[in-house]
Amino acid sequence: MSDSQVNLSRRQFFTRRDTLDKPALPWLKEAHFTDLCTQCGDCIKQCPTQIIRPGDGGFPRVDFHIDECTFCYQCAQACPEPLFLPQSEPAWQTKAIIKDSCLAYQNVDCRSCGDSCEPFAIRFKLAVGKVAQPHIDLSSCTGCGACVSVCPTSAIVVTYSEQEGANVTE
Ligand code: SF4
Ligand code: SF4
Ligand code: SF4
């Protein structure tokens, strides 16, 4: 098989649902990502929080377990391809969700995620017989990922899928 055949089959394999249940890059025109991204790595080099890493198939992808997105737009500016929306558009279409492994759900007091959330999208509500329980206001969540790396049980993911977690407040 030639290199171009390998590249084509790899691009076809990494379709939207395969690669983008989790966010790839901010302001990304996702429909064109695997067709137009040359995997040059320029976005990776520019990210000040170093959250962009080579992901599935070698395509760049943010990893919020490392740090947060600061909305600096440097990845988009570095990209030589027409892959990014203007900075005036919302950076992320994804939202944070909290999974069952959250310490507060096990009745252990923890507010690390709430303390890290600048737009105050995570609110802790008192509950009878339990420690305060976190709820995410999806309309306030920017998808920045700041809450992910601070969670001691890795209970928070930023995702397109609302099925993965339940404890959100619309
Ligand atoms: S906008 Fe800035 S912080 Fe966010 S992923 Fe791009 S380069 Fe990194
Ligand atoms: S700078 Fe653009 S083309 Fe290069 S790896 Fe990043 S998204 Fe792909
Ligand atoms: S992703 Fe950012 S805005 Fe959304 S809940 Fe987490 S810290 Fe808050």
Side-chain angles (χ1 to χ4, degrees):
M1 192 182 280
S2 71
D3 282 354
S4 61
Q5 283 174 311
V6 171
N7 279 342
L8 180 61
S9 58
R10 190 165 64 177
R11 286 177 199 285
Q12 286 169 337
F13 182 72
F14 290 102
T15 57
R16 185 181 186 284
R17 290 265 43 106
D18 290 322
T19 57
L20 296 179
D21 275 348
K22 303 291 185 292
L25 296 169
W27 292 283
L28 188 65
K29 295 177 188 169
E30 292 163 9
H32 306 292
F33 181 40
T34 53
D35 291 329
L36 295 182
C37 175
T38 61
Q39 304 185 351
C40 68
D42 287 354
C43 55
I44 294 174
K45 289 181 210 140
Q46 288 305 315
C47 180
T49 50
Q50 301 186 338
I51 59 174
I52 308 178
R53 297 291 165 96
D56 291 344
F59 292 104
R61 174 172 299 275
V62 296
D63 183 352
F64 291 134
H65 291 100
I66 299 167
D67 208 332
E68 67 188 282
C69 173
T70 62
F71 303 96
C72 68
Y73 204 65
Q74 290 185 44
C75 51
Q77 279 177 322
C79 181
E81 309 301 331
L83 268 170
F84 290 85
L85 296 166
Q87 194 172 10
S88 55
E89 299 287 328
W92 301 103
Q93 301 301 322
T94 43
K95 303 287 180 183
I97 57 169
I98 302 174
K99 299 194 292 186
D100 290 347
S101 51
C102 165
L103 285 178
Y105 297 171
Q106 325 303 323
N107 218 16
V108 176
D109 200 18
C110 175
R111 299 191 182 210
S112 297
C113 57
D115 292 343
S116 73
C117 181
E118 258 181 51
F120 302 110
I122 306 177
R123 300 284 174 86
F124 282 80
K125 294 185 179 169
L126 297 177
V128 178
K130 291 180 183 171
V131 301
Q133 302 288 295
H135 293 265
I136 297 181
D137 173 10
L138 292 181
S139 62
S140 301
C141 174
T142 62
C144 71
C147 52
V148 173
S149 66
V150 298
C151 176
T153 59
S154 300
I156 301 185
V157 292
V158 179
T159 177
Y160 293 95
S161 172
E162 290 172 18
Q163 308 305 316
E164 278 193 52
N167 205 0
V168 294
T169 311
E170 300 276 6

